[in-house]
Amino acid sequence: MPLSNEERKQLEELEQELTVEDPKLARELLSGSLGPSLPARAVFSILTVSVGFVVLILGIALQFTVLGVAAFVLMGAGAYWLVGLRNHRGRPGRPPG
């Protein structure tokens, strides 16, 4: 279903407002390159947590405390990266909307 003239006009106004408010985001949307890095970072984060978990189990099995602590830190870093993906565009703390 095609847009009516009124809808088309509203869409153009929204585009202009976006360009004024956040020109970098507007350029990214127009170029279509919203970042294949997001899935890559997610995979890396999940992989880091998984490796940390395996190393933690190994540290427990070997009763090697330092290895267990290092694995826990590795898992924490992976989880931090995974949660931090929302703000990966360099706008931490910016309110939504």
Side-chain angles (χ1 to χ4, degrees), residues 3 7-23 25-27 29-30:
L3 296 175
E7 292 171 330
R8 194 170 288 131
K9 182 179 177 183
Q10 289 176 344
L11 184 59
E12 289 173 3
E13 289 174 4
L14 286 172
E15 289 175 0
Q16 290 172 357
E17 289 175 18
L18 174 65
T19 303
V20 169
E21 186 177 310
D22 195 348
L25 177 61
R27 280 192 306 271
L29 289 172
L30 287 174

Side-chain angles (χ1 to χ4, degrees), residues 2 4-5 7 11 14 23 30 34 44 59-60 64 66 68 75 77-78 84:
S4 69
N5 287 336
E7 292 171 330
L11 184 59
L14 286 172
L30 287 174
L34 280 180
F44 177 74
I60 292 171
F64 193 52
V66 174
M75 288 171 33

Side-chain angles (χ1 to χ4, degrees), residues 12-60:
E12 289 173 3
E13 289 174 4
L14 286 172
E15 289 175 0
Q16 290 172 357
E17 289 175 18
L18 174 65
T19 303
V20 169
E21 186 177 310
D22 195 348
K24 183 178 176 183
L25 177 61
R27 280 192 306 271
E28 288 179 8
L29 289 172
L30 287 174
S31 71
S33 64
L34 280 180
S37 64
L38 183 62
R41 282 189 62 182
V43 168
F44 177 74
S45 300
I46 292 169
L47 185 62
T48 302
V49 171
S50 300
V51 168
F53 183 73
V54 169
V55 173
L56 177 66
I57 298 300
L58 184 64
I60 292 171

Side-chain angles (χ1 to χ4, degrees), residues 59-83:
I60 292 171
L62 297 175
Q63 296 181 354
F64 193 52
T65 307
V66 174
L67 188 61
V69 170
F72 187 77
V73 169
L74 185 65
M75 288 171 33
Y80 176 78
W81 291 328
L82 188 60
V83 170

